[in-house]
Amino acid sequence: VIVNGGAPAGLALDVGGNFVDNVTLTVGSNSVLVRAVDGANNTGTSGTTVVEVDPAKPDITITAPAAGTVTNTASVVVTGTIVGATSATLRLNGSVVSSTLSGSFLQTVTLVEGINAIVVYGFATGGEPTGPFLGTSGVRRVLLDTTAPVVTIISPASGSFVRSPGITVSGTVDDPWVTTANLTLNGVSKQIRVADGSFSQNIHLAASTNTI
């Protein structure tokens, strides 16, 4: 991305080729251009978008969902407020969901698996795309995770015989978003830490058969 003819800054693309990033603008008129270069050194550009920065920009706030929300439900209600803009557009992962927001708004969106970017853009009279752009809410990221994690106990092996009641239970969780798990010993649960997909916890066995 190139802002006001300055040095290019790299953009990270998701698997669908979408990108979301923050840039720093100056007061007044700003030009924003996105340029892409493929492996054969072919270059394509977005064309120049002009953005006007007004110190008296509107106040656009997303109140829900909270930043960093993790959910297994695809349907999420986005709420917030818009002050100082005639109309606003809500985009999910770069695609327009609604272009008629104003005042206190409530809009249902359907998330895709993985990280989702929600942004509300404010415009003056005329709305998008003809009305002057006035500012955004900033990016609100929400994670949709509908796949149950796979938990594997590496040690002890099932059916093991041990001489000492004090042992260490270790294993893995294949979901990078999991940071805690419940370890249940003979029907009694305890929350344990998961770090980098692995866990390790000391336990005290009963002098008989134990279930973990």
Side-chain angles (χ1 to χ4, degrees):
V1 60
I2 301 169
V3 179
N4 295 328
L11 294 172
L13 305 181
D14 64 18
V15 293
N18 300 305
F19 60 85
V20 176
D21 204 357
N22 296 317
V23 297
T24 301
L25 305 178
T26 60
V27 174
S29 181
N30 295 263
S31 64
V32 180
L33 173 73
V34 175
R35 183 175 64 201
V37 182
D38 64 16
N41 208 35
N42 298 304
T43 301
T45 68
S46 62
T48 300
T49 294
V50 176
V51 181
E52 188 79 20
V53 175
D54 183 348
K57 71 174 185 176
D59 183 12
I60 304 173
T61 304
I62 296 176
T63 55
T69 294
V70 180
T71 180
N72 60 2
T73 303
S75 181
V76 170
V77 176
V78 180
T79 61
T81 57
I82 301 166
V83 178
T86 304
S87 67
T89 296
L90 188 153
R91 289 178 177 266
L92 174 67
N93 301 323
S95 298
V96 174
V97 176
S98 173
S99 58
T100 59
L101 302 183
S102 62
S104 295
F105 64 86
L106 182 154
Q107 178 68 49
T108 300
V109 301
T110 302
L111 306 176
V112 299
E113 191 76 11
I115 298 176
N116 293 260
I118 301 170
V119 186
V120 177
Y121 298 81
F123 295 88
T125 302
E128 188 176 8
T130 58
F133 172 67
L134 299 177
T136 80
S137 61
V139 182
R140 181 61 52 91
R141 290 181 172 85
V142 178
L143 173 68
L144 175 64
D145 184 357
T146 60
T147 303
V150 176
V151 182
T152 303
I153 296 177
I154 296 174
S155 178
S158 182
S160 296
F161 290 87
V162 297
R163 294 181 179 180
S164 173
I167 67 168
T168 300
V169 178
S170 61
T172 60
V173 181
D174 74 341
D175 190 328
W177 304 103
V178 174
T179 57
T180 61
N182 287 324
L183 188 155
T184 303
L185 172 63
N186 299 326
V188 179
S189 291
K190 176 181 181 179
Q191 189 176 83
I192 63 173
R193 181 171 176 264
V194 178
D196 297 324
S198 299
F199 59 86
S200 179
Q201 179 67 38
N202 295 328
I203 62 172
H204 192 89
L205 302 176
S208 61
T209 300
N210 294 262
T211 58
I212 302 170

